[in-house]
Amino acid sequence: MACFTAWVAEALVVFGVKKTIEKKHPTLSKKLTTLIYMLLSGSLLLMVEHIYHGEITYLYPFLTALKDPADTQVMLKEIVTVGGCMDLVMTALWAIYYKVFSFKKAIEVKA
């Protein structure tokens, strides 16, 4: 229903972290930029999917789950569980990507 909002929230947090450390750690700042792009592009794709399935409308309230209080509780639970799990998976994939990339780079330097 609104799991994409968890991705946007994480992207905002990572953006704040990036802004605070970009002077001290420029390489980590570039890596965090990649994570931000991954989160925002994934969130955009999830929004398109939710629009296609009619869970987001152009009329107020924009999320159809906000029309009924019972549906709102289900939506909030989905944001925390599904959106949170997708956040963790995306962040783990980002970390694995950079670990593999740095390992591959270290092997190329030795050779």
Side-chain angles (χ1 to χ4, degrees):
M1 290 176 211
C3 55
F4 63 89
T5 58
W7 288 42
V8 173
E10 183 183 355
L12 290 173
V13 170
V14 172
F15 182 75
V17 169
K18 176 186 164 282
K19 283 296 182 186
T20 57
I21 66 164
E22 67 185 345
K23 299 233 190 266
K24 293 180 183 177
H25 306 285
T27 57
L28 181 59
S29 178
K30 288 180 183 179
K31 292 177 182 179
L32 289 176
T33 301
T34 304
L35 178 60
I36 292 168
Y37 287 151
M38 289 171 69
L39 289 168
L40 291 178
S41 61
S43 177
L44 179 68
L45 289 173
L46 282 169
M47 280 189 236
V48 169
E49 186 266 334
H50 287 334
I51 290 170
Y52 179 76
H53 288 285
E55 296 171 359
I56 300 175
T57 62
Y58 62 92
L59 299 172
Y60 183 82
F62 305 108
L63 298 171
T64 55
L66 292 175
K67 291 181 181 177
D68 185 25
D71 289 341
T72 304
Q73 290 177 343
V74 172
M75 178 191 68
L76 293 174
K77 183 178 179 185
E78 183 207 1
I79 290 171
V80 172
T81 56
V82 176
C85 287
M86 287 191 304
D87 273 345
L88 292 174
V89 168
M90 181 61 77
T91 305
L93 288 173
W94 168 80
I96 291 168
Y97 169 77
Y98 274 109
K99 275 292 188 193
V100 169
F101 183 71
S102 65
F103 181 70
K104 186 177 178 183
K105 199 173 185 180
I107 289 174
E108 290 174 358
V109 169
K110 287 181 183 179

PDB file of all heavy atoms in Angstrom, residues 1-3 6 20 25 35-36 40 43 46 48-49 54 66-67 86 88:
ATOM      1  N   MET A   1       0.812  -1.196   0.000  1.00  0.00           N
ATOM      2  CA  MET A   1       0.000   0.000   0.000  1.00  0.00           C
ATOM      3  C   MET A   1       0.860   1.266   0.000  1.00  0.00           C
ATOM      4  O   MET A   1       0.627   2.142  -0.790  1.00  0.00           O
ATOM      5  CB  MET A   1      -0.919   0.018   1.203  1.00  0.00           C
ATOM      6  CG  MET A   1      -2.015  -1.000   1.160  1.00  0.00           C
ATOM      7  SD  MET A   1      -2.949  -0.964   2.682  1.00  0.00           S
ATOM      8  CE  MET A   1      -3.426  -2.649   2.770  1.00  0.00           C
ATOM      9  N   ALA A   2       1.819   1.309   0.882  1.00  0.00           N
ATOM     10  CA  ALA A   2       2.672   2.503   0.948  1.00  0.00           C
ATOM     11  C   ALA A   2       4.078   2.145   1.394  1.00  0.00           C
ATOM     12  O   ALA A   2       4.751   2.937   2.030  1.00  0.00           O
ATOM     13  CB  ALA A   2       2.052   3.521   1.891  1.00  0.00           C
ATOM     14  N   CYS A   3       4.521   0.950   1.028  1.00  0.00           N
ATOM     15  CA  CYS A   3       5.851   0.510   1.477  1.00  0.00           C
ATOM     16  C   CYS A   3       6.960   1.371   0.886  1.00  0.00           C
ATOM     17  O   CYS A   3       8.053   1.441   1.445  1.00  0.00           O
ATOM     18  CB  CYS A   3       6.058  -0.957   1.137  1.00  0.00           C
ATOM     19  SG  CYS A   3       5.816  -1.354  -0.597  1.00  0.00           S
ATOM     20  N   ALA A   6       8.851   3.943   3.139  1.00  0.00           N
ATOM     21  CA  ALA A   6       9.996   3.542   3.962  1.00  0.00           C
ATOM     22  C   ALA A   6      11.294   3.766   3.202  1.00  0.00           C
ATOM     23  O   ALA A   6      12.294   4.185   3.780  1.00  0.00           O
ATOM     24  CB  ALA A   6       9.854   2.073   4.373  1.00  0.00           C
ATOM     25  N   THR A  20      26.599  15.275   6.352  1.00  0.00           N
ATOM     26  CA  THR A  20      27.420  15.541   7.534  1.00  0.00           C
ATOM     27  C   THR A  20      28.832  14.978   7.403  1.00  0.00           C
ATOM     28  O   THR A  20      29.752  15.500   8.029  1.00  0.00           O
ATOM     29  CB  THR A  20      26.770  14.967   8.805  1.00  0.00           C
ATOM     30  OG1 THR A  20      26.558  13.570   8.634  1.00  0.00           O
ATOM     31  CG2 THR A  20      25.465  15.667   9.110  1.00  0.00           C
ATOM     32  N   HIS A  25      34.946  12.239   4.732  1.00  0.00           N
ATOM     33  CA  HIS A  25      35.051  10.951   4.035  1.00  0.00           C
ATOM     34  C   HIS A  25      34.442  11.070   2.634  1.00  0.00           C
ATOM     35  O   HIS A  25      33.316  10.623   2.412  1.00  0.00           O
ATOM     36  CB  HIS A  25      34.342   9.853   4.815  1.00  0.00           C
ATOM     37  CG  HIS A  25      34.781   9.736   6.233  1.00  0.00           C
ATOM     38  ND1 HIS A  25      35.985   9.171   6.584  1.00  0.00           N
ATOM     39  CD2 HIS A  25      34.190  10.122   7.398  1.00  0.00           C
ATOM     40  CE1 HIS A  25      36.114   9.202   7.896  1.00  0.00           C
ATOM     41  NE2 HIS A  25      35.031   9.780   8.411  1.00  0.00           N
ATOM     42  N   LEU A  35      23.714   4.667  -2.910  1.00  0.00           N
ATOM     43  CA  LEU A  35      22.606   4.098  -2.137  1.00  0.00           C
ATOM     44  C   LEU A  35      21.365   4.975  -2.236  1.00  0.00           C
ATOM     45  O   LEU A  35      20.251   4.472  -2.398  1.00  0.00           O
ATOM     46  CB  LEU A  35      23.010   3.913  -0.666  1.00  0.00           C
ATOM     47  CG  LEU A  35      21.924   3.379   0.268  1.00  0.00           C
ATOM     48  CD1 LEU A  35      21.439   2.008  -0.189  1.00  0.00           C
ATOM     49  CD2 LEU A  35      22.432   3.331   1.690  1.00  0.00           C
ATOM     50  N   ILE A  36      21.535   6.276  -2.165  1.00  0.00           N
ATOM     51  CA  ILE A  36      20.395   7.192  -2.283  1.00  0.00           C
ATOM     52  C   ILE A  36      19.715   7.015  -3.636  1.00  0.00           C
ATOM     53  O   ILE A  36      18.481   6.931  -3.724  1.00  0.00           O
ATOM     54  CB  ILE A  36      20.847   8.651  -2.064  1.00  0.00           C
ATOM     55  CG1 ILE A  36      21.270   8.855  -0.619  1.00  0.00           C
ATOM     56  CG2 ILE A  36      19.740   9.627  -2.447  1.00  0.00           C
ATOM     57  CD1 ILE A  36      21.988  10.166  -0.360  1.00  0.00           C
ATOM     58  N   LEU A  40      15.847   5.806  -4.130  1.00  0.00           N
ATOM     59  CA  LEU A  40      14.853   6.667  -4.776  1.00  0.00           C
ATOM     60  C   LEU A  40      14.325   6.059  -6.068  1.00  0.00           C
ATOM     61  O   LEU A  40      13.134   6.174  -6.368  1.00  0.00           O
ATOM     62  CB  LEU A  40      15.443   8.056  -5.028  1.00  0.00           C
ATOM     63  CG  LEU A  40      15.699   8.883  -3.776  1.00  0.00           C
ATOM     64  CD1 LEU A  40      16.319  10.217  -4.137  1.00  0.00           C
ATOM     65  CD2 LEU A  40      14.423   9.086  -2.976  1.00  0.00           C
ATOM     66  N   SER A  43      11.971   3.333  -5.062  1.00  0.00           N
ATOM     67  CA  SER A  43      10.741   3.938  -4.555  1.00  0.00           C
ATOM     68  C   SER A  43       9.857   4.422  -5.703  1.00  0.00           C
ATOM     69  O   SER A  43       8.636   4.252  -5.668  1.00  0.00           O
ATOM     70  CB  SER A  43      11.086   5.091  -3.620  1.00  0.00           C
ATOM     71  OG  SER A  43       9.919   5.718  -3.173  1.00  0.00           O
ATOM     72  N   LEU A  46       8.171   1.462  -7.219  1.00  0.00           N
ATOM     73  CA  LEU A  46       7.082   1.000  -6.351  1.00  0.00           C
ATOM     74  C   LEU A  46       5.871   1.928  -6.435  1.00  0.00           C
ATOM     75  O   LEU A  46       4.726   1.461  -6.397  1.00  0.00           O
ATOM     76  CB  LEU A  46       7.567   0.893  -4.910  1.00  0.00           C
ATOM     77  CG  LEU A  46       8.407  -0.337  -4.599  1.00  0.00           C
ATOM     78  CD1 LEU A  46       9.045  -0.196  -3.219  1.00  0.00           C
ATOM     79  CD2 LEU A  46       7.563  -1.589  -4.661  1.00  0.00           C
ATOM     80  N   VAL A  48       4.938   3.652  -9.070  1.00  0.00           N
ATOM     81  CA  VAL A  48       4.283   3.343 -10.348  1.00  0.00           C
ATOM     82  C   VAL A  48       3.460   2.065 -10.221  1.00  0.00           C
ATOM     83  O   VAL A  48       2.317   1.990 -10.690  1.00  0.00           O
ATOM     84  CB  VAL A  48       5.335   3.227 -11.476  1.00  0.00           C
ATOM     85  CG1 VAL A  48       4.732   2.655 -12.745  1.00  0.00           C
ATOM     86  CG2 VAL A  48       5.967   4.581 -11.745  1.00  0.00           C
ATOM     87  N   GLU A  49       4.016   1.063  -9.559  1.00  0.00           N
ATOM     88  CA  GLU A  49       3.291  -0.197  -9.371  1.00  0.00           C
ATOM     89  C   GLU A  49       2.035   0.027  -8.531  1.00  0.00           C
ATOM     90  O   GLU A  49       0.968  -0.521  -8.835  1.00  0.00           O
ATOM     91  CB  GLU A  49       4.224  -1.221  -8.699  1.00  0.00           C
ATOM     92  CG  GLU A  49       3.641  -2.604  -8.567  1.00  0.00           C
ATOM     93  CD  GLU A  49       2.971  -2.833  -7.223  1.00  0.00           C
ATOM     94  OE1 GLU A  49       3.347  -2.168  -6.240  1.00  0.00           O
ATOM     95  OE2 GLU A  49       2.068  -3.680  -7.158  1.00  0.00           O
ATOM     96  N   GLY A  54      -4.014   0.753  -8.373  1.00  0.00           N
ATOM     97  CA  GLY A  54      -5.080   1.567  -7.807  1.00  0.00           C
ATOM     98  C   GLY A  54      -4.945   1.859  -6.325  1.00  0.00           C
ATOM     99  O   GLY A  54      -5.904   2.281  -5.686  1.00  0.00           O
ATOM    100  N   LEU A  66      -6.041   5.203   3.392  1.00  0.00           N
ATOM    101  CA  LEU A  66      -6.356   6.238   4.381  1.00  0.00           C
ATOM    102  C   LEU A  66      -7.857   6.532   4.471  1.00  0.00           C
ATOM    103  O   LEU A  66      -8.274   7.300   5.328  1.00  0.00           O
ATOM    104  CB  LEU A  66      -5.594   7.527   4.058  1.00  0.00           C
ATOM    105  CG  LEU A  66      -4.084   7.445   4.232  1.00  0.00           C
ATOM    106  CD1 LEU A  66      -3.434   8.742   3.758  1.00  0.00           C
ATOM    107  CD2 LEU A  66      -3.717   7.173   5.668  1.00  0.00           C
ATOM    108  N   LYS A  67      -8.649   5.933   3.632  1.00  0.00           N
ATOM    109  CA  LYS A  67     -10.095   6.179   3.666  1.00  0.00           C
ATOM    110  C   LYS A  67     -10.758   5.526   4.877  1.00  0.00           C
ATOM    111  O   LYS A  67     -11.735   6.043   5.389  1.00  0.00           O
ATOM    112  CB  LYS A  67     -10.744   5.676   2.379  1.00  0.00           C
ATOM    113  CG  LYS A  67     -10.367   6.500   1.171  1.00  0.00           C
ATOM    114  CD  LYS A  67     -11.046   5.983  -0.064  1.00  0.00           C
ATOM    115  CE  LYS A  67     -10.622   6.824  -1.262  1.00  0.00           C
ATOM    116  NZ  LYS A  67     -11.192   6.340  -2.504  1.00  0.00           N
ATOM    117  N   MET A  86      12.405  -4.540   2.881  1.00  0.00           N
ATOM    118  CA  MET A  86      12.965  -4.167   1.579  1.00  0.00           C
ATOM    119  C   MET A  86      14.117  -3.172   1.752  1.00  0.00           C
ATOM    120  O   MET A  86      15.103  -3.222   1.013  1.00  0.00           O
ATOM    121  CB  MET A  86      11.871  -3.592   0.672  1.00  0.00           C
ATOM    122  CG  MET A  86      10.920  -4.639   0.170  1.00  0.00           C
ATOM    123  SD  MET A  86       9.802  -4.106  -1.133  1.00  0.00           S
ATOM    124  CE  MET A  86       8.977  -2.723  -0.424  1.00  0.00           C
ATOM    125  N   LEU A  88      16.185  -3.077   4.325  1.00  0.00           N
ATOM    126  CA  LEU A  88      17.330  -3.863   4.780  1.00  0.00           C
ATOM    127  C   LEU A  88      17.970  -4.642   3.638  1.00  0.00           C
ATOM    128  O   LEU A  88      19.200  -4.691   3.521  1.00  0.00           O
ATOM    129  CB  LEU A  88      16.905  -4.814   5.896  1.00  0.00           C
ATOM    130  CG  LEU A  88      16.510  -4.162   7.219  1.00  0.00           C
ATOM    131  CD1 LEU A  88      15.984  -5.217   8.177  1.00  0.00           C
ATOM    132  CD2 LEU A  88      17.683  -3.430   7.829  1.00  0.00           C
TER     133      LEU A  88
END
